[in-house]
Amino acid sequence: MATIDDVAKAAGVSASTVSYVLSGKRPISPRTRERVERTIRDLGYRPHAGARALASSRSNVIALMVPFRPGINVQIIMQFVAGVVSAARAHDHDVLLLTQDDSSGVDRVASSSMADAIIVMDIEAEDERLPALRSLKQPSVLIGVPSDPSGLSCVDLDFTAAGRLAVRTLTDAGHRRLALIGASQERFDRRANYAVRMRAGATEEAELRGADCAVLPCEPNFAGGTAALERVLDEMPGVTGLVVHNELALPGVMSALERRGVRVPEDISVVAIGAADTGTALARELTGIDVPGEDIGRVAVEMVMAQLDGEALSSTRLVSPDVTPRGSVAAPAV
Amino acid sequence: MATIDDVAKAAGVSASTVSYVLSGKRPISPRTRERVERTIRDLGYRPHAGARALASSRSNVIALMVPFRPGINVQIIMQFVAGVVSAARAHDHDVLLLTQDDSSGVDRVASSSMADAIIVMDIEAEDERLPALRSLKQPSVLIGVPSDPSGLSCVDLDFTAAGRLAVRTLTDAGHRRLALIGASQERFDRRANYAVRMRAGATEEAELRGADCAVLPCEPNFAGGTAALERVLDEMPGVTGLVVHNELALPGVMSALERRGVRVPEDISVVAIGAADTGTALARELTGIDVPGEDIGRVAVEMVMAQLDGEALSSTRLVSPDVTPRGSVAAPAV
DNA sequence: ATGAAAGCGCTAACAA
DNA sequence: TTGTTAGCGCTTTCAT
């Protein structure tokens, strides 16, 4: 591998000049720049990442901690990751993959200077990793909002607004008796922010609109979905609008609807909240609020970069939800 | 951050001794070792990754190139990744995430010495990345087998055997008229190894057992699945055994079966090939061949490590498939 | 069993 | 506008 000295020699300049051509941190005459750039290309020169990191104390790597626990929505995870990686590349950074269960990962990566910053996904209300993150010298960004986000930067979908929007979509169509099939009881028990805020937004908005919104926690799988739907049909006969905030249960819900002969949207209107392409496992697409995974990942990277550039205090950014009509909402039958 | 000199000073030894305590590359007296280790713990010392990489020309990082194109089975991707990451950690390595569309990723990572080796997923028959990989100084391992694997190391499920096994599972139960709902036409056209070999194994085994096996390419989505199943029912009335090798189409297939009133396994037996937890989007679990994503990822890392240790030539390792009975196969009706 | 010292390849003062 | 030089923190030979 060619080194910076090889390039310098071949181009007839000093090593620092090559370095400055690459970094743009000081003016270079057009002639020199041209010559150096040609040499770099000819030799196929690439700075040694380690040497650069050592000298500049910047690795140009950001670490990303991804959850791999079961019952998680892999679809959306991949979207986040894709967003993070592509945004990072756009800022000339690479991404180091950490997993949730690698408990010492944050410390290791931080204190060995492998990464300049850390993005952590799937944050719980009382996340165990928060203390470690707070005491880091590197900046970090959380995807998800803990109950105490002080001193930390967070991004997430605005789930309160999403709850409101989902309900409003139904009440605007004329529905007054709604049911929310939401996250699992376990998620609510652990006060998972997204589950709790979604529910809060939905119930508040329902109240505001003079509507009724029952909430059913639901296991994140097919059987959970069918079970929840059975309960709605059997115990809440007046319900004409359904909000489903549980991608893994959604196939179960839809299948049960069909089996019970309930038509969508003629008999029941459905609004889904989840990854954009959840519909692929379904017979039909649903009107819904697509969690913009890629966008959120992108924003996380922007926040990281801002912090690395010395701008930006810790703050929480909530991305506004949008509803995409796909024909599963209509006026209730009279 | 504490440096190796800080540790050396505090422990009253030289920096090289600290280094050797850490690497175990030369004998250290128990007393010294003890003292140094205590100091390391007290100071929370961690070697600077860049400095280490610079001095040793080893980054302890392996790069993993992950596909993000649509129509891919995210489930299985995540399993591979999980397997790779955990195996890498077991070998004291971290994982750098590269994406398919980052075309220069391989070169960048290799020639900047960011990674000691590269694992590439989702290999096509005539993969464009092969030349770059062949000319690398770092070792690489492909997940998937190209049409010409010479000079490269590959791991994959043995799809030929999987095809055979799926068919044999059905013929052993007494079925003689089978249909294989496989990958999309586009995959076959590009001669994707897994699709082609799976089909070959299935048809060979069918012939061997005196059975008949129709092959239907199928779009990787719900509609594709229903369409393929409709064709089976309408154009191949004698079929009693179904092999589905297309996870994204599987929900469509199962839903269409139910809608047409075809019972599983009473009327038709079904064998599925795919990610272990594909069943979560389905009403019922299916007898099937679970692609052992984590295992394959793990094997890829083992192969990488072997190459880094100077053992191991390039070779292809095919992991043997197993069938897991889940009650969707029975003897055909008489 | 341990230490001293020479790099590894780069960046960023400091000089000119 | 460019060059010289002193590290960055570690590994590893060479000495002892």
Side-chain angles (χ1 to χ4, degrees):
Chain A
M1 292 286 88
T3 72
I4 199 171
D5 282 315
D6 298 336
V7 175
K9 216 146 290 174
V13 298
S14 73
S16 62
T17 296
V18 177
S19 176
Y20 285 119
V21 165
L22 251 19
S23 72
K25 289 189 181 172
R26 83 181 182 190
I28 302 283
S29 76
R31 283 195 60 255
T32 312
R33 164 182 304 283
E34 161 63 20
R35 201 141 35 85
V36 170
E37 280 170 348
R38 254 192 58 76
T39 314
I40 288 177
R41 249 177 285 118
D42 292 350
L43 299 184
Y45 166 72
R46 256 317 173 183
H48 186 289
R52 174 172 270 188
L54 181 55
S56 66
S57 36
R58 278 279 235 138
S59 62
N60 273 37
V61 166
I62 78 186
L64 175 64
M65 193 169 235
V66 178
F68 280 89
R69 57 180 172 69
I72 214 168
N73 179 9
V74 189
Q75 212 68 248
I76 198 82
I77 297 289
M78 285 292 270
Q79 290 190 13
F80 282 132
V81 173
V84 166
V85 174
S86 87
R89 284 306 307 143
H91 289 271
D92 194 34
H93 281 244
D94 273 289
V95 173
L96 194 80
L97 196 63
L98 259 34
T99 58
Q100 207 88 312
D101 48 278
D102 179 9
S103 57
S104 65
V106 168
D107 278 344
R108 178 165 40 83
V109 158
S111 55
S112 67
S113 299
M114 297 194 77
D116 297 333
I118 302 196
I119 297 177
V120 183
M121 301 182 53
D122 194 39
I123 291 290
E124 305 249 321
E126 311 296 337
D127 206 287
E128 298 175 338
R129 299 163 292 183
L130 298 186
L133 292 171
R134 284 212 173 80
S135 66
L136 239 46
K137 61 176 194 308
Q138 285 94 339
S140 61
V141 171
L142 321 185
I143 297 184
V145 184
S147 41
D148 173 19
S150 63
L152 293 166
S153 292
C154 317
V155 218
D156 207 350
L157 180 66
D158 187 339
F159 279 103
T160 309
R164 291 185 178 285
L165 181 55
V167 165
R168 196 162 58 247
T169 303
L170 291 168
T171 54
D172 281 357
H175 298 270
R176 285 297 170 270
R177 302 218 43 198
L178 315 178
L180 162 61
I181 296 180
S184 68
Q185 188 60 52
E186 182 263 344
R187 296 279 85 195
F188 280 110
D189 290 345
R190 301 188 74 165
R191 310 212 55 72
N193 188 281
Y194 71 94
V196 173
R197 302 192 79 80
M198 163 73 200
R199 181 179 57 184
T203 52
E204 280 168 25
E205 185 73 16
E207 198 160 339
L208 205 70
R209 305 280 162 174
D212 199 70
C213 185
V215 178
L216 296 85
C218 174
E219 287 307 303
N221 52 48
F222 195 96
T226 55
L229 186 86
E230 304 281 342
R231 272 193 58 201
V232 171
L233 296 186
D234 296 339
E235 303 173 18
M236 312 166 187
V239 167
T240 59
L242 209 56
V243 177
V244 183
H245 180 208
N246 192 324
E247 291 104 332
L248 297 177
L250 192 53
V253 172
M254 296 310 292
S255 151
L257 278 171
E258 185 174 348
R259 196 169 36 234
R260 294 280 293 250
V262 179
R263 295 162 306 162
V264 175
E266 291 81 357
D267 303 319
I268 278 193
S269 289
V270 178
V271 174
I273 303 186
D277 55 351
T278 300
T280 48
L282 264 32
R284 57 168 297 172
E285 304 245 279
L286 297 176
T287 293
I289 297 171
D290 302 337
V291 175
E294 290 216 31
D295 293 344
I296 294 177
R298 204 173 306 280
V299 170
V301 171
E302 306 300 342
M303 293 178 78
V304 159
M305 293 302 157
Q307 288 187 252
L308 286 175
D309 293 347
E311 315 158 21
L313 310 313
S314 59
S315 67
T316 294
R317 266 182 64 177
L318 298 180
V319 177
S320 297
D322 283 311
V323 62
T324 305
R326 297 194 188 93
S328 64
V329 173
V334 252
Chain B
M1 290 287 88
T3 72
I4 200 172
D5 282 315
D6 297 336
V7 175
K9 216 146 290 173
V13 298
S14 74
S16 60
T17 296
V18 177
S19 176
Y20 284 118
V21 166
L22 250 19
S23 70
K25 289 189 180 171
R26 84 178 180 190
I28 302 282
S29 75
R31 284 196 61 254
T32 313
R33 165 182 305 283
E34 160 63 21
R35 202 142 34 85
V36 170
E37 281 171 347
R38 253 192 59 75
T39 313
I40 288 177
R41 248 176 288 119
D42 291 351
L43 299 185
Y45 166 72
R46 239 25 120 165
H48 185 289
R52 174 172 271 186
L54 179 55
S56 67
S57 40
R58 277 281 234 135
S59 62
N60 273 39
V61 166
I62 79 187
L64 175 64
M65 192 170 235
V66 178
F68 281 88
R69 58 180 172 70
I72 215 168
N73 179 9
V74 190
Q75 211 68 248
I76 198 82
I77 297 289
M78 285 292 270
Q79 289 189 13
F80 282 133
V81 173
V84 167
V85 174
S86 86
R89 284 306 307 145
H91 289 270
D92 195 33
H93 280 244
D94 273 288
V95 173
L96 194 79
L97 196 64
L98 260 34
T99 59
Q100 208 88 311
D101 49 276
D102 179 9
S103 58
S104 66
V106 168
D107 279 343
R108 178 164 41 82
V109 159
S111 57
S112 67
S113 299
M114 295 194 79
D116 298 332
I118 303 198
I119 297 177
V120 183
M121 300 181 55
D122 195 38
I123 291 291
E124 306 251 319
E126 310 297 337
D127 206 287
E128 299 175 337
R129 298 163 293 184
L130 298 186
L133 291 171
R134 283 211 174 80
S135 66
L136 237 47
K137 60 175 197 306
Q138 287 94 338
S140 62
V141 170
L142 320 186
I143 297 184
V145 184
S147 41
D148 173 19
S150 64
L152 293 167
S153 292
C154 318
V155 217
D156 206 350
L157 181 67
D158 187 338
F159 279 102
T160 309
R164 290 186 178 286
L165 182 55
V167 164
R168 195 162 57 247
T169 303
L170 291 168
T171 54
D172 281 357
H175 298 270
R176 284 297 169 271
R177 304 218 43 200
L178 314 178
L180 163 60
I181 295 180
S184 67
Q185 189 60 54
E186 183 263 343
R187 296 280 84 196
F188 281 109
D189 290 345
R190 302 188 72 166
R191 311 212 54 71
N193 188 281
Y194 72 94
V196 173
R197 302 192 78 81
M198 163 74 201
R199 180 179 58 185
T203 52
E204 280 168 25
E205 185 73 17
E207 198 159 340
L208 205 70
R209 304 281 162 173
D212 199 71
C213 185
V215 178
L216 296 86
C218 174
E219 286 307 304
N221 52 48
F222 194 97
T226 56
L229 186 86
E230 305 281 342
R231 272 194 58 201
V232 171
L233 295 185
D234 296 341
E235 302 173 20
M236 312 166 186
V239 166
T240 59
L242 210 55
V243 178
V244 183
H245 180 208
N246 191 323
E247 290 104 332
L248 297 176
L250 192 53
V253 172
M254 296 310 292
S255 151
L257 277 170
E258 185 173 349
R259 198 170 33 236
R260 295 280 293 249
V262 179
R263 293 162 306 162
V264 176
E266 290 82 357
D267 303 319
I268 278 194
S269 289
V270 178
V271 174
I273 303 185
D277 55 352
T278 300
T280 48
L282 263 33
R284 56 168 297 173
E285 305 245 278
L286 297 176
T287 293
I289 297 171
D290 302 336
V291 176
E294 290 217 31
D295 293 344
I296 293 177
R298 203 173 307 280
V299 170
V301 171
E302 305 300 343
M303 293 179 79
V304 158
M305 293 302 155
Q307 288 186 252
L308 287 175
D309 294 347
E311 315 158 22
L313 310 314
S314 60
S315 67
T316 294
R317 267 182 64 176
L318 297 180
V319 177
S320 297
D322 284 311
V323 61
T324 305
R326 297 195 188 92
S328 63
V329 173
V334 252

